[in-house]
């Protein structure tokens, strides 16, 4: 009798936002970076991907992914294929060692995933998405691999995804091996070490990005003269300083490195040819507002950082919530996103000394805020997005 069981496993995975940016590949096929990077994993109470991996001998056709209710073409996506092939090989090794283990590696995979936030809009959906895909399949295949070992797989889906397999504060070591075997992510401190780090995201644009990160970083590597110094000497030193700042919970140092590294990354973008512009007037108004908060406090209590788009992520410590997030809450009280566990506790402050022009630009350009903080890594869940007969379900 044939085994028509539908095997299922589900997980959620977080977004991460780098404070030392990954920008540049030394090997595009293996997705190996030119420099190490470091990120903060954000709480899944705010942003998360939920993915179910299922397989069955009764499934027909090729492996498939339903993303936000739409079929995603994974057959021609080399990166997704690289992840699936590696995970299937790991499962195959288990099946060879244990002949009574079901032959899951030979069954078609049906993957269903939902992002609870805009996809491909500069909010790191690829990071949460590939981390969830890899974690869900690893759970399905009962792989014994650690998150660090799985980071090698997720990295091939999207570089930043390797950092979303862990919670808290995570470093992705660039490594030097040509096969990428030492290009891995590791948790440098858990959430519990520094749990009061908060993040306020100003969503400036939820549209698709202008220049996708993969293409943007290739242009920078090929054309920017500033880039080499950044990758070879600036980032290695910053990685050490940032790790020390995190271990010491030294927010002022954390903030300085975060802002300088974001600026350095965007400087190499501007130095690329043709130049790449990710920041806009609203981003610059957010930078200005953060600088004003810091000036008013007489010390660094807030840090901005920007990925490959205009959205601002502002890190601060909970004790300074009123002085940082409170000012943005006052200025942006008309926009959505202040509700929810993180937002509800933010007290509205006064204008905090922001210039009228900064206030006007923020009011006109910020469409939504996301209130969040440092959070845990992927969590196994029993809510499956595929039913026991293999049909997709909505939760
Ligand atoms: P973002 O800024 O949101 O990371 P990218 O353009 O870099 O945007 O990446 C978006 C791509 O990441 C999607 O087109 C898809 O291929 C992949 N992706 C996003 N979410 C998921 C998911 N939940 N599961 C699998 N892949 C995903
Ligand atoms: C600016 O991880 O999206 O967000 O590996 O080509 O998929 P690929 O790139 P991706 O790049 C992220 C770039 C960044 C910085 C960062 O997250 O470190």
């Amino acid at each position: 009798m044939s085994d028509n069981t539908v095997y299922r496993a589900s997980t959620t995975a977080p977004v991460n936002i780098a404070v030392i940016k990954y920008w540049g590949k030394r090997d595009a096929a293996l997705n190996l970076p030119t420099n190490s990077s470091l990120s903060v994993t954000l709480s899944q109470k705010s942003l998360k991907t939920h993915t179910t991996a299922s397989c069955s001998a009764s499934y027909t056709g090729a492996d498939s992914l339903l993303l936000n209710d739409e079929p995603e073409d994974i057959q021609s996506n080399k990166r997704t294929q690289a992840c699936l092939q590696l995970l299937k090989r790991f499962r195959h090794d288990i099946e060879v060692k244990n002949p009574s283990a079901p032959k899951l590696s030979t069954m078609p995979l049906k993957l269903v995933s939902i992002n609870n936030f805009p996809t491909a809009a500069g909010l790191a959906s690829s990071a949460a998405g590939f981390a969830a895909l890899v974690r869900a399949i690893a759970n399905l295949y009962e792989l014994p691999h650690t998150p660090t070992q799985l980071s090698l797989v997720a990295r091939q889906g999207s570089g930043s995804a390797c950092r979303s397999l862990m919670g808290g504060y995570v470093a992705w070591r660039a490594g030097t091996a040509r096969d990428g075997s030492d290009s891995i992510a590791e948790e440098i401190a858990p959430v519990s070490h520094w749990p009061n780090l908060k993040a306020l995201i100003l969503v400036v644009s939820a549209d698709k990005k202008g220049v996708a990160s993969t293409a943007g970083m290739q242009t920078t590597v090929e054309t920017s003269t500033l880039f080499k110094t950044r990758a070879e000497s600036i980032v290695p030193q910053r990685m050490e300083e940032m790790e020390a700042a995190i271990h010491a919970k030294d927010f002022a140092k954390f903030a300085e490195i975060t802002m300088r590294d974001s600026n350095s990354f965007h400087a190499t973008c501007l130095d690329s040819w043709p130049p790449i512009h990710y920041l806009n007037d609203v981003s610059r108004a957010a930078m200005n507002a953060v600088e004003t908060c810091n000036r008013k406090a007489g010390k660094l209590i807030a840090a901005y950082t920007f990925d490959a788009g205009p959205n601002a992520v502002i890190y601060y410590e909970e004790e300074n919530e009123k002085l940082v997030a409170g000012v943005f809450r006052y200025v942006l009280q008309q926009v959505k996103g202040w509700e929810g566990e993180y937002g509800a506790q933010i007290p509205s402050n006064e204008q905090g000394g922001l210039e009228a022009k900064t206030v006007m630009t923020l009011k006109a350009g910020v469409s939504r805020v996301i209130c969040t903080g440092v959070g845990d890594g992927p969590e196994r869940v029993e809510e499956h997005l595929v039913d026991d007969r293999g049909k997709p379900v909505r939760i």
Side-chain angles (χ1 to χ4, degrees), residues 49-51 65 67-68 72 77 80 113-115 117-130 132-133 158 160 208-209 212-214 308:
T49 294
H50 180 177
T51 298
L65 166 64
L67 172 55
N68 300 327
E72 179 90 357
N77 185 328
T80 312
S113 184
I114 293 172
N115 297 329
F117 60 96
T119 300
L123 289 171
S125 73
S126 58
F130 277 104
L133 179 138
S158 181
S160 51
K208 291 220 171 206
K209 286 184 212 174
S213 35
T214 306

PDB file of all heavy atoms in Angstrom, residues 49-51 65 67-68 72 77 80 113-115 117-130 132-133 158 160 208-209 212-214 308, ligand 1:
ATOM      1  N   THR A  49       6.939  36.248   9.174  1.00  0.00           N
ATOM      2  CA  THR A  49       6.540  35.349   8.092  1.00  0.00           C
ATOM      3  C   THR A  49       6.066  34.061   8.749  1.00  0.00           C
ATOM      4  O   THR A  49       6.672  33.613   9.732  1.00  0.00           O
ATOM      5  CB  THR A  49       7.748  35.034   7.184  1.00  0.00           C
ATOM      6  OG1 THR A  49       8.145  36.227   6.537  1.00  0.00           O
ATOM      7  CG2 THR A  49       7.371  33.996   6.124  1.00  0.00           C
ATOM      8  N   HIS A  50       4.989  33.496   8.251  1.00  0.00           N
ATOM      9  CA  HIS A  50       4.483  32.217   8.735  1.00  0.00           C
ATOM     10  C   HIS A  50       4.539  31.273   7.538  1.00  0.00           C
ATOM     11  O   HIS A  50       3.959  31.563   6.495  1.00  0.00           O
ATOM     12  CB  HIS A  50       3.041  32.412   9.221  1.00  0.00           C
ATOM     13  CG  HIS A  50       2.395  31.163   9.755  1.00  0.00           C
ATOM     14  ND1 HIS A  50       1.130  31.170  10.278  1.00  0.00           N
ATOM     15  CD2 HIS A  50       2.819  29.889   9.862  1.00  0.00           C
ATOM     16  CE1 HIS A  50       0.810  29.935  10.677  1.00  0.00           C
ATOM     17  NE2 HIS A  50       1.815  29.147  10.435  1.00  0.00           N
ATOM     18  N   THR A  51       5.271  30.173   7.689  1.00  0.00           N
ATOM     19  CA  THR A  51       5.428  29.245   6.555  1.00  0.00           C
ATOM     20  C   THR A  51       5.134  27.811   6.976  1.00  0.00           C
ATOM     21  O   THR A  51       5.578  27.375   8.046  1.00  0.00           O
ATOM     22  CB  THR A  51       6.868  29.335   5.988  1.00  0.00           C
ATOM     23  OG1 THR A  51       7.083  30.657   5.502  1.00  0.00           O
ATOM     24  CG2 THR A  51       7.087  28.344   4.842  1.00  0.00           C
ATOM     25  N   LEU A  65       5.379  26.921  -4.258  1.00  0.00           N
ATOM     26  CA  LEU A  65       5.275  27.887  -3.147  1.00  0.00           C
ATOM     27  C   LEU A  65       4.101  28.816  -3.417  1.00  0.00           C
ATOM     28  O   LEU A  65       4.009  29.431  -4.486  1.00  0.00           O
ATOM     29  CB  LEU A  65       6.567  28.712  -3.026  1.00  0.00           C
ATOM     30  CG  LEU A  65       6.504  29.971  -2.140  1.00  0.00           C
ATOM     31  CD1 LEU A  65       6.237  29.622  -0.670  1.00  0.00           C
ATOM     32  CD2 LEU A  65       7.801  30.778  -2.241  1.00  0.00           C
ATOM     33  N   LEU A  67       2.758  32.126  -2.051  1.00  0.00           N
ATOM     34  CA  LEU A  67       3.189  33.233  -1.182  1.00  0.00           C
ATOM     35  C   LEU A  67       2.100  34.295  -1.141  1.00  0.00           C
ATOM     36  O   LEU A  67       1.750  34.846  -2.183  1.00  0.00           O
ATOM     37  CB  LEU A  67       4.516  33.809  -1.713  1.00  0.00           C
ATOM     38  CG  LEU A  67       5.047  35.080  -1.061  1.00  0.00           C
ATOM     39  CD1 LEU A  67       5.195  34.929   0.440  1.00  0.00           C
ATOM     40  CD2 LEU A  67       6.367  35.494  -1.686  1.00  0.00           C
ATOM     41  N   ASN A  68       1.583  34.560   0.033  1.00  0.00           N
ATOM     42  CA  ASN A  68       0.485  35.525   0.199  1.00  0.00           C
ATOM     43  C   ASN A  68      -0.657  35.210  -0.772  1.00  0.00           C
ATOM     44  O   ASN A  68      -1.166  36.097  -1.456  1.00  0.00           O
ATOM     45  CB  ASN A  68       0.968  36.967  -0.039  1.00  0.00           C
ATOM     46  CG  ASN A  68       2.064  37.357   0.927  1.00  0.00           C
ATOM     47  OD1 ASN A  68       2.087  36.912   2.071  1.00  0.00           O
ATOM     48  ND2 ASN A  68       2.982  38.176   0.461  1.00  0.00           N
ATOM     49  N   GLU A  72       4.108  31.414  -6.545  1.00  0.00           N
ATOM     50  CA  GLU A  72       5.397  32.067  -6.799  1.00  0.00           C
ATOM     51  C   GLU A  72       6.200  31.109  -7.684  1.00  0.00           C
ATOM     52  O   GLU A  72       6.234  29.902  -7.418  1.00  0.00           O
ATOM     53  CB  GLU A  72       6.065  32.280  -5.433  1.00  0.00           C
ATOM     54  CG  GLU A  72       7.412  32.906  -5.437  1.00  0.00           C
ATOM     55  CD  GLU A  72       7.395  34.436  -5.342  1.00  0.00           C
ATOM     56  OE1 GLU A  72       6.300  35.047  -5.333  1.00  0.00           O
ATOM     57  OE2 GLU A  72       8.490  35.001  -5.309  1.00  0.00           O
ATOM     58  N   ASN A  77      13.650  30.134 -10.015  1.00  0.00           N
ATOM     59  CA  ASN A  77      14.372  30.945  -9.032  1.00  0.00           C
ATOM     60  C   ASN A  77      15.558  30.136  -8.493  1.00  0.00           C
ATOM     61  O   ASN A  77      15.409  29.239  -7.675  1.00  0.00           O
ATOM     62  CB  ASN A  77      13.395  31.324  -7.897  1.00  0.00           C
ATOM     63  CG  ASN A  77      14.022  32.269  -6.901  1.00  0.00           C
ATOM     64  OD1 ASN A  77      15.224  32.220  -6.658  1.00  0.00           O
ATOM     65  ND2 ASN A  77      13.195  33.116  -6.311  1.00  0.00           N
ATOM     66  N   THR A  80      16.012  29.898  -4.617  1.00  0.00           N
ATOM     67  CA  THR A  80      15.109  28.989  -3.897  1.00  0.00           C
ATOM     68  C   THR A  80      15.517  27.555  -4.200  1.00  0.00           C
ATOM     69  O   THR A  80      15.555  26.706  -3.306  1.00  0.00           O
ATOM     70  CB  THR A  80      13.642  29.249  -4.321  1.00  0.00           C
ATOM     71  OG1 THR A  80      13.408  30.644  -4.267  1.00  0.00           O
ATOM     72  CG2 THR A  80      12.667  28.532  -3.419  1.00  0.00           C
ATOM     73  N   SER A 113       3.147  30.261   2.405  1.00  0.00           N
ATOM     74  CA  SER A 113       3.741  31.265   3.285  1.00  0.00           C
ATOM     75  C   SER A 113       2.950  32.572   3.257  1.00  0.00           C
ATOM     76  O   SER A 113       2.391  32.954   2.228  1.00  0.00           O
ATOM     77  CB  SER A 113       5.180  31.525   2.826  1.00  0.00           C
ATOM     78  OG  SER A 113       5.800  32.415   3.713  1.00  0.00           O
ATOM     79  N   ILE A 114       2.932  33.211   4.402  1.00  0.00           N
ATOM     80  CA  ILE A 114       2.257  34.511   4.504  1.00  0.00           C
ATOM     81  C   ILE A 114       3.169  35.483   5.239  1.00  0.00           C
ATOM     82  O   ILE A 114       3.692  35.169   6.317  1.00  0.00           O
ATOM     83  CB  ILE A 114       0.934  34.381   5.290  1.00  0.00           C
ATOM     84  CG1 ILE A 114      -0.053  33.533   4.495  1.00  0.00           C
ATOM     85  CG2 ILE A 114       0.319  35.754   5.565  1.00  0.00           C
ATOM     86  CD1 ILE A 114      -1.297  33.189   5.274  1.00  0.00           C
ATOM     87  N   ASN A 115       3.374  36.648   4.635  1.00  0.00           N
ATOM     88  CA  ASN A 115       4.079  37.732   5.335  1.00  0.00           C
ATOM     89  C   ASN A 115       3.000  38.659   5.888  1.00  0.00           C
ATOM     90  O   ASN A 115       2.078  39.021   5.153  1.00  0.00           O
ATOM     91  CB  ASN A 115       4.956  38.526   4.365  1.00  0.00           C
ATOM     92  CG  ASN A 115       6.055  37.669   3.742  1.00  0.00           C
ATOM     93  OD1 ASN A 115       6.546  36.740   4.371  1.00  0.00           O
ATOM     94  ND2 ASN A 115       6.427  37.980   2.513  1.00  0.00           N
ATOM     95  N   PHE A 117       3.249  41.645   6.447  1.00  0.00           N
ATOM     96  CA  PHE A 117       3.675  43.014   6.115  1.00  0.00           C
ATOM     97  C   PHE A 117       4.004  43.032   4.624  1.00  0.00           C
ATOM     98  O   PHE A 117       4.130  41.959   4.013  1.00  0.00           O
ATOM     99  CB  PHE A 117       4.890  43.394   6.978  1.00  0.00           C
ATOM    100  CG  PHE A 117       6.071  42.475   6.773  1.00  0.00           C
ATOM    101  CD1 PHE A 117       7.088  42.812   5.892  1.00  0.00           C
ATOM    102  CD2 PHE A 117       6.149  41.249   7.432  1.00  0.00           C
ATOM    103  CE1 PHE A 117       8.164  41.959   5.678  1.00  0.00           C
ATOM    104  CE2 PHE A 117       7.225  40.389   7.224  1.00  0.00           C
ATOM    105  CZ  PHE A 117       8.229  40.751   6.349  1.00  0.00           C
ATOM    106  N   PRO A 118       4.161  44.212   4.007  1.00  0.00           N
ATOM    107  CA  PRO A 118       4.364  44.255   2.554  1.00  0.00           C
ATOM    108  C   PRO A 118       5.619  43.501   2.091  1.00  0.00           C
ATOM    109  O   PRO A 118       6.673  43.591   2.722  1.00  0.00           O
ATOM    110  CB  PRO A 118       4.492  45.744   2.246  1.00  0.00           C
ATOM    111  CG  PRO A 118       3.922  46.449   3.420  1.00  0.00           C
ATOM    112  CD  PRO A 118       4.091  45.551   4.602  1.00  0.00           C
ATOM    113  N   THR A 119       5.450  42.750   1.002  1.00  0.00           N
ATOM    114  CA  THR A 119       6.549  41.958   0.429  1.00  0.00           C
ATOM    115  C   THR A 119       7.310  42.803  -0.595  1.00  0.00           C
ATOM    116  O   THR A 119       6.695  43.572  -1.335  1.00  0.00           O
ATOM    117  CB  THR A 119       5.948  40.701  -0.252  1.00  0.00           C
ATOM    118  OG1 THR A 119       5.265  39.961   0.754  1.00  0.00           O
ATOM    119  CG2 THR A 119       7.015  39.816  -0.884  1.00  0.00           C
ATOM    120  N   ALA A 120       8.630  42.646  -0.607  1.00  0.00           N
ATOM    121  CA  ALA A 120       9.495  43.344  -1.584  1.00  0.00           C
ATOM    122  C   ALA A 120       9.335  44.861  -1.530  1.00  0.00           C
ATOM    123  O   ALA A 120       9.321  45.527  -2.551  1.00  0.00           O
ATOM    124  CB  ALA A 120       9.244  42.820  -2.999  1.00  0.00           C
ATOM    125  N   ALA A 121       9.201  45.392  -0.316  1.00  0.00           N
ATOM    126  CA  ALA A 121       9.001  46.834  -0.166  1.00  0.00           C
ATOM    127  C   ALA A 121      10.070  47.448   0.727  1.00  0.00           C
ATOM    128  O   ALA A 121       9.887  48.510   1.301  1.00  0.00           O
ATOM    129  CB  ALA A 121       7.619  47.097   0.420  1.00  0.00           C
ATOM    130  N   GLY A 122      11.193  46.754   0.871  1.00  0.00           N
ATOM    131  CA  GLY A 122      12.270  47.291   1.703  1.00  0.00           C
ATOM    132  C   GLY A 122      12.043  47.047   3.179  1.00  0.00           C
ATOM    133  O   GLY A 122      12.641  47.696   4.025  1.00  0.00           O
ATOM    134  N   LEU A 123      11.169  46.095   3.507  1.00  0.00           N
ATOM    135  CA  LEU A 123      10.950  45.766   4.927  1.00  0.00           C
ATOM    136  C   LEU A 123      11.496  44.370   5.244  1.00  0.00           C
ATOM    137  O   LEU A 123      11.031  43.696   6.160  1.00  0.00           O
ATOM    138  CB  LEU A 123       9.457  45.863   5.272  1.00  0.00           C
ATOM    139  CG  LEU A 123       8.897  47.283   5.307  1.00  0.00           C
ATOM    140  CD1 LEU A 123       7.380  47.270   5.435  1.00  0.00           C
ATOM    141  CD2 LEU A 123       9.492  48.096   6.448  1.00  0.00           C
ATOM    142  N   ALA A 124      12.490  43.945   4.460  1.00  0.00           N
ATOM    143  CA  ALA A 124      13.213  42.688   4.724  1.00  0.00           C
ATOM    144  C   ALA A 124      12.343  41.432   4.658  1.00  0.00           C
ATOM    145  O   ALA A 124      12.537  40.493   5.422  1.00  0.00           O
ATOM    146  CB  ALA A 124      13.943  42.773   6.067  1.00  0.00           C
ATOM    147  N   SER A 125      11.392  41.402   3.704  1.00  0.00           N
ATOM    148  CA  SER A 125      10.583  40.187   3.558  1.00  0.00           C
ATOM    149  C   SER A 125      11.438  39.020   3.090  1.00  0.00           C
ATOM    150  O   SER A 125      11.182  37.870   3.443  1.00  0.00           O
ATOM    151  CB  SER A 125       9.422  40.405   2.588  1.00  0.00           C
ATOM    152  OG  SER A 125       9.873  40.463   1.245  1.00  0.00           O
ATOM    153  N   SER A 126      12.476  39.302   2.296  1.00  0.00           N
ATOM    154  CA  SER A 126      13.296  38.188   1.812  1.00  0.00           C
ATOM    155  C   SER A 126      14.047  37.547   2.973  1.00  0.00           C
ATOM    156  O   SER A 126      14.257  36.332   2.976  1.00  0.00           O
ATOM    157  CB  SER A 126      14.254  38.636   0.710  1.00  0.00           C
ATOM    158  OG  SER A 126      15.083  39.659   1.171  1.00  0.00           O
ATOM    159  N   ALA A 127      14.430  38.339   3.958  1.00  0.00           N
ATOM    160  CA  ALA A 127      15.143  37.782   5.117  1.00  0.00           C
ATOM    161  C   ALA A 127      14.222  36.869   5.922  1.00  0.00           C
ATOM    162  O   ALA A 127      14.530  35.699   6.164  1.00  0.00           O
ATOM    163  CB  ALA A 127      15.684  38.908   5.991  1.00  0.00           C
ATOM    164  N   ALA A 128      13.065  37.393   6.301  1.00  0.00           N
ATOM    165  CA  ALA A 128      12.126  36.564   7.075  1.00  0.00           C
ATOM    166  C   ALA A 128      11.621  35.403   6.223  1.00  0.00           C
ATOM    167  O   ALA A 128      11.463  34.277   6.706  1.00  0.00           O
ATOM    168  CB  ALA A 128      10.955  37.423   7.547  1.00  0.00           C
ATOM    169  N   GLY A 129      11.387  35.669   4.947  1.00  0.00           N
ATOM    170  CA  GLY A 129      10.812  34.666   4.042  1.00  0.00           C
ATOM    171  C   GLY A 129      11.720  33.459   3.848  1.00  0.00           C
ATOM    172  O   GLY A 129      11.281  32.317   3.988  1.00  0.00           O
ATOM    173  N   PHE A 130      12.989  33.706   3.535  1.00  0.00           N
ATOM    174  CA  PHE A 130      13.894  32.569   3.323  1.00  0.00           C
ATOM    175  C   PHE A 130      14.252  31.878   4.635  1.00  0.00           C
ATOM    176  O   PHE A 130      14.457  30.663   4.663  1.00  0.00           O
ATOM    177  CB  PHE A 130      15.149  32.999   2.550  1.00  0.00           C
ATOM    178  CG  PHE A 130      14.907  33.031   1.065  1.00  0.00           C
ATOM    179  CD1 PHE A 130      14.737  34.228   0.390  1.00  0.00           C
ATOM    180  CD2 PHE A 130      14.826  31.855   0.332  1.00  0.00           C
ATOM    181  CE1 PHE A 130      14.497  34.267  -0.980  1.00  0.00           C
ATOM    182  CE2 PHE A 130      14.589  31.870  -1.040  1.00  0.00           C
ATOM    183  CZ  PHE A 130      14.412  33.075  -1.696  1.00  0.00           C
ATOM    184  N   ALA A 132      12.217  31.516   7.121  1.00  0.00           N
ATOM    185  CA  ALA A 132      11.049  30.683   7.429  1.00  0.00           C
ATOM    186  C   ALA A 132      11.009  29.453   6.523  1.00  0.00           C
ATOM    187  O   ALA A 132      10.722  28.339   6.976  1.00  0.00           O
ATOM    188  CB  ALA A 132       9.767  31.501   7.260  1.00  0.00           C
ATOM    189  N   LEU A 133      11.319  29.661   5.248  1.00  0.00           N
ATOM    190  CA  LEU A 133      11.304  28.535   4.301  1.00  0.00           C
ATOM    191  C   LEU A 133      12.306  27.450   4.739  1.00  0.00           C
ATOM    192  O   LEU A 133      11.976  26.266   4.821  1.00  0.00           O
ATOM    193  CB  LEU A 133      11.648  29.075   2.906  1.00  0.00           C
ATOM    194  CG  LEU A 133      11.716  28.086   1.751  1.00  0.00           C
ATOM    195  CD1 LEU A 133      11.036  28.697   0.513  1.00  0.00           C
ATOM    196  CD2 LEU A 133      13.139  27.738   1.380  1.00  0.00           C
ATOM    197  N   SER A 158      18.768  34.367   0.377  1.00  0.00           N
ATOM    198  CA  SER A 158      18.996  35.807   0.419  1.00  0.00           C
ATOM    199  C   SER A 158      19.998  36.019   1.547  1.00  0.00           C
ATOM    200  O   SER A 158      19.827  35.447   2.634  1.00  0.00           O
ATOM    201  CB  SER A 158      17.679  36.531   0.722  1.00  0.00           C
ATOM    202  OG  SER A 158      17.903  37.925   0.746  1.00  0.00           O
ATOM    203  N   SER A 160      20.784  38.306   3.728  1.00  0.00           N
ATOM    204  CA  SER A 160      20.334  38.769   5.045  1.00  0.00           C
ATOM    205  C   SER A 160      19.464  37.728   5.758  1.00  0.00           C
ATOM    206  O   SER A 160      19.289  37.797   6.972  1.00  0.00           O
ATOM    207  CB  SER A 160      19.566  40.088   4.899  1.00  0.00           C
ATOM    208  OG  SER A 160      18.576  39.964   3.909  1.00  0.00           O
ATOM    209  N   LYS A 208       7.292  48.721  -4.398  1.00  0.00           N
ATOM    210  CA  LYS A 208       8.466  47.914  -4.742  1.00  0.00           C
ATOM    211  C   LYS A 208       9.678  48.832  -4.832  1.00  0.00           C
ATOM    212  O   LYS A 208       9.564  49.989  -5.207  1.00  0.00           O
ATOM    213  CB  LYS A 208       8.241  47.200  -6.081  1.00  0.00           C
ATOM    214  CG  LYS A 208       7.174  46.133  -5.949  1.00  0.00           C
ATOM    215  CD  LYS A 208       7.535  44.897  -6.718  1.00  0.00           C
ATOM    216  CE  LYS A 208       6.540  43.815  -6.365  1.00  0.00           C
ATOM    217  NZ  LYS A 208       7.023  42.483  -6.513  1.00  0.00           N
ATOM    218  N   LYS A 209      10.845  48.278  -4.520  1.00  0.00           N
ATOM    219  CA  LYS A 209      12.072  49.074  -4.520  1.00  0.00           C
ATOM    220  C   LYS A 209      12.461  49.572  -5.901  1.00  0.00           C
ATOM    221  O   LYS A 209      12.166  48.925  -6.890  1.00  0.00           O
ATOM    222  CB  LYS A 209      13.219  48.185  -4.068  1.00  0.00           C
ATOM    223  CG  LYS A 209      13.236  47.868  -2.650  1.00  0.00           C
ATOM    224  CD  LYS A 209      14.510  47.069  -2.390  1.00  0.00           C
ATOM    225  CE  LYS A 209      14.280  46.081  -1.294  1.00  0.00           C
ATOM    226  NZ  LYS A 209      15.388  45.194  -1.093  1.00  0.00           N
ATOM    227  N   ALA A 212      16.806  46.883  -6.903  1.00  0.00           N
ATOM    228  CA  ALA A 212      16.813  45.727  -6.004  1.00  0.00           C
ATOM    229  C   ALA A 212      18.210  45.579  -5.407  1.00  0.00           C
ATOM    230  O   ALA A 212      19.210  45.915  -6.053  1.00  0.00           O
ATOM    231  CB  ALA A 212      16.438  44.475  -6.785  1.00  0.00           C
ATOM    232  N   SER A 213      18.266  45.061  -4.161  1.00  0.00           N
ATOM    233  CA  SER A 213      19.562  45.024  -3.483  1.00  0.00           C
ATOM    234  C   SER A 213      20.608  44.204  -4.245  1.00  0.00           C
ATOM    235  O   SER A 213      21.762  44.610  -4.335  1.00  0.00           O
ATOM    236  CB  SER A 213      19.421  44.555  -2.036  1.00  0.00           C
ATOM    237  OG  SER A 213      18.423  43.596  -1.890  1.00  0.00           O
ATOM    238  N   THR A 214      20.190  43.067  -4.805  1.00  0.00           N
ATOM    239  CA  THR A 214      21.165  42.211  -5.504  1.00  0.00           C
ATOM    240  C   THR A 214      21.847  42.984  -6.639  1.00  0.00           C
ATOM    241  O   THR A 214      23.073  42.964  -6.768  1.00  0.00           O
ATOM    242  CB  THR A 214      20.453  40.967  -6.079  1.00  0.00           C
ATOM    243  OG1 THR A 214      19.764  40.331  -5.016  1.00  0.00           O
ATOM    244  CG2 THR A 214      21.441  39.994  -6.694  1.00  0.00           C
ATOM    245  N   ALA A 308      17.970  49.234   1.700  1.00  0.00           N
ATOM    246  CA  ALA A 308      17.936  49.641   0.302  1.00  0.00           C
ATOM    247  C   ALA A 308      16.593  50.280  -0.061  1.00  0.00           C
ATOM    248  O   ALA A 308      15.848  49.803  -0.921  1.00  0.00           O
ATOM    249  CB  ALA A 308      18.209  48.434  -0.587  1.00  0.00           C
TER     250      ALA A 308
HETATM  251  P1  LIG B   1      12.461  42.919   0.680  1.00  0.00           P
HETATM  252  O1  LIG B   1      12.919  44.328   0.732  1.00  0.00           O
HETATM  253  O2  LIG B   1      11.052  42.791   1.178  1.00  0.00           O
HETATM  254  O3  LIG B   1      13.405  41.940   1.300  1.00  0.00           O
HETATM  255  P2  LIG B   1      13.323  41.782  -1.893  1.00  0.00           P
HETATM  256  O4  LIG B   1      12.938  42.272  -3.250  1.00  0.00           O
HETATM  257  O5  LIG B   1      14.773  41.849  -1.491  1.00  0.00           O
HETATM  258  O6  LIG B   1      12.385  42.587  -0.887  1.00  0.00           O
HETATM  259  O7  LIG B   1      12.838  40.289  -1.741  1.00  0.00           O
HETATM  260  C1  LIG B   1      11.518  39.903  -2.028  1.00  0.00           C
HETATM  261  C2  LIG B   1      11.548  38.470  -2.485  1.00  0.00           C
HETATM  262  O8  LIG B   1      11.828  37.609  -1.358  1.00  0.00           O
HETATM  263  C3  LIG B   1      10.218  37.972  -3.002  1.00  0.00           C
HETATM  264  O9  LIG B   1      10.039  38.296  -4.353  1.00  0.00           O
HETATM  265  C4  LIG B   1      10.349  36.464  -2.793  1.00  0.00           C
HETATM  266  O10 LIG B   1      11.139  35.880  -3.816  1.00  0.00           O
HETATM  267  C5  LIG B   1      11.144  36.383  -1.504  1.00  0.00           C
HETATM  268  N1  LIG B   1      10.210  36.229  -0.379  1.00  0.00           N
HETATM  269  C6  LIG B   1       9.577  37.193   0.308  1.00  0.00           C
HETATM  270  N2  LIG B   1       8.773  36.656   1.239  1.00  0.00           N
HETATM  271  C7  LIG B   1       8.900  35.317   1.133  1.00  0.00           C
HETATM  272  C8  LIG B   1       8.327  34.218   1.835  1.00  0.00           C
HETATM  273  N3  LIG B   1       7.461  34.405   2.831  1.00  0.00           N
HETATM  274  N4  LIG B   1       8.681  32.966   1.468  1.00  0.00           N
HETATM  275  C9  LIG B   1       9.570  32.762   0.481  1.00  0.00           C
HETATM  276  N5  LIG B   1      10.151  33.759  -0.221  1.00  0.00           N
HETATM  277  C10 LIG B   1       9.832  35.029   0.101  1.00  0.00           C
END
